Amino acid sequence: MEQPVTGGRATRSYGAEPEALEALVDASLTARVTLDEHGIVTGWNAGAERLLGYPAGQVTGRRAADLLAEPIPVRGGLPTLADLPRWNGDIALRHRDGRKLTVRILAHHRPPGADGPAWLVVSALTDRQPPAGLDESLVSWSFAQSPCCALAIYDTRLRLRRANADMERATALTEEEMRGLRVSEISGGDAGRRAEHDMARVLRTGESEYEENYLRAPGESHEHAWSVFLSALRDHEGTVRGVCLAAHDMTEQFWARKRLQLIAEAGRRIGSTLDVTRTAQELADVTVPALADFVSVDLLATLDDVSEPPARAVPVDGPLLLRRAALRSVTPGAPESAVPAGTVDAYPAGSMPFESLRSGRPALHKTSDPAFTAWLARDPARAARVRAFGIHSAMTVPLAARGTTLGVAFFVRHRNQEPFRHDDLVLAGELVARAAVSIDNARRYTRERATAVTLQRSLLPRRLPRQAAVEVASRYLPAGGQAGVGGDWFDVIPLSGARVALVVGDVVGHGLVASATMGRLRTAVRTLADIDLPCDELLTHLDDLVARLNTEEETEEGDADGRAPGSARTTGDLGATCLYAVYDPVTRHCCFAGAGHPVPAVVSPEGTVELVGLPTAPPLGVGGLPYESTEVVVPEGSLLALYTNGLVETPERDLDTGVGRLREALGRPAASLDALCDRVLADLLPQRPADDVALLIARTRALDARQVATWAVPSDPSAVAQTRKDVVAQMERWGLSDAVFVTELVVSELVTNAIRHAEPPVQLRLIHDTTLICEVSDGGNTAPHLRRARTYDEGGRGLLLVAQLTERWGTRQSATGKTIWAEQTLTPA
């Protein structure tokens, strides 16, 4: 019955072979005995009977120790025989006729549970000698016919004496043709000379030498990698009589190692940035000249115009438009390329890149292939380069990642005369696959970053609003490198009473989420500023908003993770810093409040730079601590500098160093605010920033005392008439006769309402700038609101009338009451 036996690389079935094998080896030439774990003989062959004279029937079942002439010597320190996997040595046995025989045996111990006996004891019989001279002949034949390596023997003069068949094939010379020659005379070149020096060292020291050579045998197109061992040949007295050279052909292992090294190098070099063109160039740089003499990487031209590749990347009938993203050649300037870098070229149906992309599989090509020849016939410029450079072999490998077709890589050989093989195609496919993933990552990053930049710029103010309090210049720089667009923002918000709010903020994180959050916070700040909240109170409301956003985000994540709705937990993943400032040109006071943001700088008209000392406060969204404001007097012509931490804090320097450099840059005179912004960025950020940067610089203005008129109004309805007279007189002094009627009416309504419905003291203030602002303050806290009066109502129409006659109106609270204000647009004189 046949039983399959599995070997290293194949499975064979043995039928009658065991019987033939037994007949071939003649089992009686070896004494074979098997024992169980207790030392009982379980098997006894004919060789054992010839050795000791006992037939199998007399020995089987007996203790093997009964056959010993004397105990087995066991060297000290060795474990017992039962613990040894194998034992060999000489033992004394008793022959059946009483003679003592010293026999050399080899005993194998089988592991417990294995089929068969526990011990196999063998001993070779020497009473049958081989034919005379057979051993020497076998040695000679084994040397000459050894298939595992190329062997050569040199004498003490380094002259060849013997060479086997593999050496003859490696040198393309017979043993007779090489006999008496030195190795440098046989192979020539540096490899032969190095081998001679090593052989001389072996003769002198008797120690073996090892080296690797790369030689090309005559008539072969590629080099072989040889692993060469040089060893001394000694006589019985130990005298060195020659040198043996054994060379193993390690070409396949050598190229496998080179391929692994190339793959490892590609892993280090490809995808170092999130730039599509640079990643494509890295692929070309890695593969030339290690794999090809010329490489081009062409990407689909459709990737330039749309955010997502089209559903059908390759047209059915052609042509296929590809943009040459990168190229590299062993020839300077890459003259083999018919298409310059960055240019779009059309590839018709039937061309190699077209067919490779349509099939989605890499392919080997020879320039003599009919399809290649037909393509070149339609492209004379490319055909001329193929002939001029002797291009003989090419590979096309599609670039695809995550189901998206990106382009094709084209590999060419002309200086390397060996054509591409299947192993080269597999290697190219591995390298291109790695590059394709990096290119797709870069493409997706570029698309997302462009979207985030567009979103962010759409949310930032395109033009700063016109107002009289400050002159403003600003700069915004998106982050470079792999950080992505962040959530930095700034804003200038006109407030009532000719005041202005300056805002700079920074949302934690980068990308679309940060940009969207920035837009929400900017809108919230404008809304809160529109109701004239104090600086510290505005930040408190903004802090509550960020905390709610955090809670909403955690709740959504909890629902997605299977947690119950309402089991939200705020982790502070969404956070922001903010600096809010309000400047009043009438009083020249500026109020600052910060939430974990870098402190602002104030530059005096003389050029002295001071940092505003703000109370320590946490970022928005942390909660738990109150926000406090700081008010400072700012001389006219001073500069207020608000910025985000990306300006002063970089990986190369700490915050204190950056702030010091900022103060130095702000302290030097500049022709304009725009020039000052440019100088600050140039001094602090010589390279593209690693984080977003927002910079806002404002030069303060002050209203002349003659532009402001203030009256304390008695809490008596009869005082309204005198107040109107005072206002008319002031309007005449300002030359605003055209606005007298509306102003007189607005003042009359607002002052009358304050006297009737509010608490004293009542104050009237007129501010004359680019607009005319009328403010009436009182000690009450109840804010008025518009309502539509019914037909027979005696009141309720005054505030509606004010709203209709003025450009805008509003109310703001203060620590002592409220202020109702109305603003008119003045007709230029």
Side-chain angles (χ1 to χ4, degrees):
M1 182 176 179
E2 296 185 358
Q3 181 179 359
V5 178
T6 302
R9 289 183 297 177
T11 301
R12 300 179 59 188
S13 297
Y14 296 93
E17 291 187 6
E19 291 78 6
L21 179 63
E22 290 297 325
L24 175 65
V25 300
D26 191 358
S28 63
L29 296 178
T30 306
R32 294 168 59 94
V33 179
T34 58
L35 311 175
D36 63 12
E37 284 289 356
H38 304 288
I40 305 300
V41 177
T42 58
W44 189 270
N45 76 337
E49 182 178 352
R50 289 182 48 243
L51 178 65
L52 296 181
Y54 294 100
Q58 295 183 3
V59 180
T60 304
R62 294 176 53 188
R63 295 173 60 251
D66 296 341
L67 302 175
L68 296 175
E70 56 187 47
I72 299 176
V74 179
R75 292 180 292 273
L78 288 178
T80 62
L81 294 180
D83 296 329
L84 292 175
R86 190 183 70 182
W87 187 87
N88 65 291
D90 295 338
I91 63 174
L93 298 175
R94 184 70 64 186
H95 194 273
R96 183 181 181 185
D97 59 12
R99 292 180 291 117
K100 185 174 78 169
L101 300 176
T102 301
V103 179
R104 175 158 296 177
I105 69 167
L106 175 62
H108 299 279
H109 189 198
R110 298 171 64 89
D115 296 336
W119 284 92
L120 171 64
V121 183
V122 296
S123 178
L125 303 181
T126 59
D127 56 344
R128 297 186 183 181
Q129 297 297 328
L134 177 60
D135 290 349
E136 293 299 324
S137 297
L138 290 174
V139 171
S140 177
W141 295 336
S142 67
F143 172 82
Q145 301 171 26
S146 173
C148 62
C149 63
L151 295 172
I153 295 177
Y154 293 83
D155 60 19
T156 55
R157 297 294 182 180
L158 301 184
R159 303 288 176 170
L160 186 137
R161 293 305 173 199
R162 294 293 308 273
N164 69 348
D166 270 8
M167 182 62 76
E168 291 178 332
R169 283 190 293 270
T171 59
L173 296 170
T174 66
E175 181 186 70
E176 189 62 31
E177 291 170 333
M178 293 185 290
R179 185 175 286 117
L181 297 178
R182 297 161 51 188
V183 64
S184 61
E185 296 168 342
I186 296 171
S187 61
D190 293 337
R193 287 189 289 272
R194 287 198 306 270
E196 277 195 349
H197 286 290
D198 292 340
M199 293 167 70
R201 191 179 301 111
V202 171
L203 288 176
R204 184 174 64 255
T205 64
E207 297 179 356
S208 299
E209 294 284 339
Y210 170 81
E211 67 174 11
E212 291 185 359
N213 287 331
Y214 308 95
L215 301 174
R216 178 177 301 170
E220 292 190 344
S221 60
H222 63 278
E223 289 185 341
H224 286 260
W226 295 97
S227 177
V228 181
F229 294 87
L230 300 171
S231 56
L233 298 177
R234 291 180 170 86
D235 59 15
H236 296 294
E237 285 77 25
T239 303
V240 176
R241 298 296 187 181
V243 177
C244 177
L245 185 152
H248 296 262
D249 190 347
M250 306 293 289
T251 305
E252 291 301 324
Q253 294 88 330
F254 169 77
W255 285 113
R257 189 171 64 217
K258 294 288 285 185
R259 292 186 181 97
L260 289 176
Q261 291 174 350
L262 185 58
I263 291 174
E265 184 180 4
R268 292 191 300 269
R269 295 176 56 183
I270 297 177
S272 62
T273 66
L274 287 172
D275 183 88
V276 172
T277 301
R278 182 166 178 180
T279 303
Q281 188 61 51
E282 289 168 346
L283 171 62
D285 293 343
V286 165
T287 52
V288 175
L291 181 60
D293 298 326
F294 170 81
V295 172
S296 66
V297 181
D298 300 332
L299 302 180
L300 293 173
T302 52
L303 298 179
D304 300 339
D305 304 323
V306 295
S307 59
E308 282 292 342
R312 185 181 295 276
V314 182
V316 177
D317 301 323
L320 175 66
L321 298 180
L322 295 174
R323 181 182 299 277
R324 182 136 298 175
L327 52 87
R328 182 66 183 270
S329 172
V330 293
T331 307
E336 307 97 321
S337 178
V339 181
T343 304
V344 175
D345 194 22
Y347 292 85
S351 62
M352 302 303 102
F354 184 96
E355 297 302 326
S356 185
L357 277 179
R358 180 156 64 179
S359 66
R361 294 189 298 271
L364 287 171
H365 310 282
K366 293 183 178 179
T367 53
S368 58
D369 294 342
F372 211 123
T373 304
W375 175 35
L376 295 180
R378 291 180 287 173
D379 194 337
R382 190 171 271 108
R385 284 172 168 79
V386 170
R387 291 191 299 270
F389 290 95
I391 296 174
H392 58 82
S393 181
M395 295 187 298
T396 51
V397 183
L399 284 114
R402 303 180 181 94
T404 301
T405 300
L406 304 173
V408 63
F410 199 63
F411 299 83
V412 168
R413 277 184 180 173
H414 55 80
R415 182 176 295 180
N416 187 342
Q417 295 304 309
E418 184 178 359
F420 286 119
R421 298 182 298 171
H422 178 72
D423 289 347
D424 299 318
L425 188 65
V426 173
L427 175 60
E430 174 69 20
L431 299 177
V432 170
R434 290 170 177 254
V437 172
S438 298
I439 290 175
D440 189 54
N441 288 340
R443 181 185 64 85
R444 291 170 182 266
Y445 164 77
T446 301
R447 185 185 68 224
E448 180 175 340
R449 186 175 187 277
T451 303
V453 169
T454 302
L455 173 62
Q456 189 174 42
R457 290 195 182 279
S458 68
L459 296 173
L460 291 173
R462 298 186 180 182
R463 287 192 306 270
L464 297 178
R466 296 182 59 184
Q467 37 73 43
V470 292
E471 176 191 358
V472 179
S474 63
R475 292 294 184 271
Y476 169 74
L477 294 179
Q482 300 182 8
V485 177
D488 291 19
W489 92 92
F490 62 90
D491 209 346
V492 178
I493 308 171
L495 301 177
S496 62
R499 297 170 305 137
V500 65
L502 306 175
V503 191
V504 170
D506 183 2
V507 175
V508 175
H510 296 85
L512 290 174
V513 175
S515 296
T517 304
M518 176 270 287
R520 300 171 76 174
L521 294 184
R522 178 172 177 260
T523 302
V525 169
R526 293 187 71 90
T527 302
L528 295 172
D530 192 55
I531 59 176
D532 269 321
L533 288 178
C535 296
D536 50 356
E537 190 174 342
L538 183 143
L539 289 185
T540 299
H541 283 280
L542 205 60
D543 177 64
D544 293 339
L545 172 63
V546 175
R548 285 197 300 272
L549 293 177
N550 259 322
T551 303
E552 292 172 4
E553 181 176 318
E554 289 297 323
T555 302
E556 292 176 0
E557 291 179 359
D559 294 342
D561 295 339
R563 285 184 287 154
S567 60
R569 51 184 179 85
T570 301
T571 62
D573 292 337
L574 177 62
T577 65
C578 184
L579 180 66
Y580 185 75
V582 175
Y583 172 69
D584 188 343
V586 177
T587 63
R588 299 190 304 278
H589 285 196
C590 189
C591 177
F592 296 95
H597 201 84
V599 297
V602 177
V603 185
S604 68
E606 294 77 23
T608 303
V609 182
E610 298 292 340
L611 299 178
V612 179
L614 298 181
T616 302
L620 300 173
V622 175
L625 293 176
Y627 294 99
E628 300 178 23
S629 59
T630 298
E631 191 167 299
V632 297
V633 178
V634 181
E636 182 180 7
S638 299
L639 299 181
L640 306 178
L642 287 70
Y643 51 91
T644 55
N645 65 338
L647 178 67
V648 293
E649 190 173 11
T650 67
E652 293 78 23
R653 65 167 181 260
D654 57 20
L655 179 61
D656 292 339
T657 303
V659 171
R661 293 180 61 177
L662 174 63
R663 297 180 65 175
E664 180 182 352
L666 291 173
R668 300 199 305 271
S672 65
L673 292 185
D674 284 319
L676 180 59
C677 287
D678 292 337
R679 185 177 66 203
V680 168
L681 295 181
D683 288 355
L684 273 74
L685 301 171
Q687 298 177 349
R688 194 172 182 182
D691 193 8
D692 281 24
V693 173
L695 173 64
L696 184 64
I697 299 180
R699 178 179 284 118
T700 62
R701 295 170 177 164
L703 293 182
D704 190 273
R706 291 172 296 181
Q707 295 178 265
V708 181
T710 305
W711 297 273
V713 180
S715 184
D716 185 351
S718 63
V720 176
Q722 183 60 42
T723 302
R724 284 200 302 266
K725 293 179 182 179
D726 294 339
V727 169
V728 170
Q730 184 64 50
M731 296 290 288
E732 295 293 342
R733 285 192 294 271
W734 281 342
L736 301 177
S737 301
D738 293 341
V740 168
F741 174 75
V742 174
T743 305
E744 186 178 7
L745 182 59
V746 169
V747 168
S748 179
E749 291 294 336
L750 296 182
V751 171
T752 300
N753 284 340
I755 293 174
R756 286 182 177 179
H757 305 293
E759 300 177 4
V762 178
Q763 177 181 282
L764 168 65
R765 185 170 72 166
L766 295 182
I767 301 173
H768 174 213
D769 193 39
T770 56
T771 62
L772 180 63
I773 302 171
C774 175
E775 295 182 342
V776 176
S777 303
D778 58 59
N781 293 319
T782 303
H785 63 277
L786 287 175
R787 69 183 181 90
R788 187 172 298 277
R790 291 188 294 271
T791 304
Y792 297 104
D793 286 349
E794 295 182 359
R797 298 176 178 85
L799 197 57
L800 179 61
L801 187 62
V802 170
Q804 295 295 323
L805 293 177
T806 59
E807 182 71 20
R808 60 194 186 109
W809 75 278
T811 179
R812 65 175 182 267
Q813 299 289 334
S814 67
T816 58
K818 67 176 182 298
T819 299
I820 310 298
W821 57 270
E823 184 175 338
Q824 301 176 55
T825 301
L826 299 177
T827 303

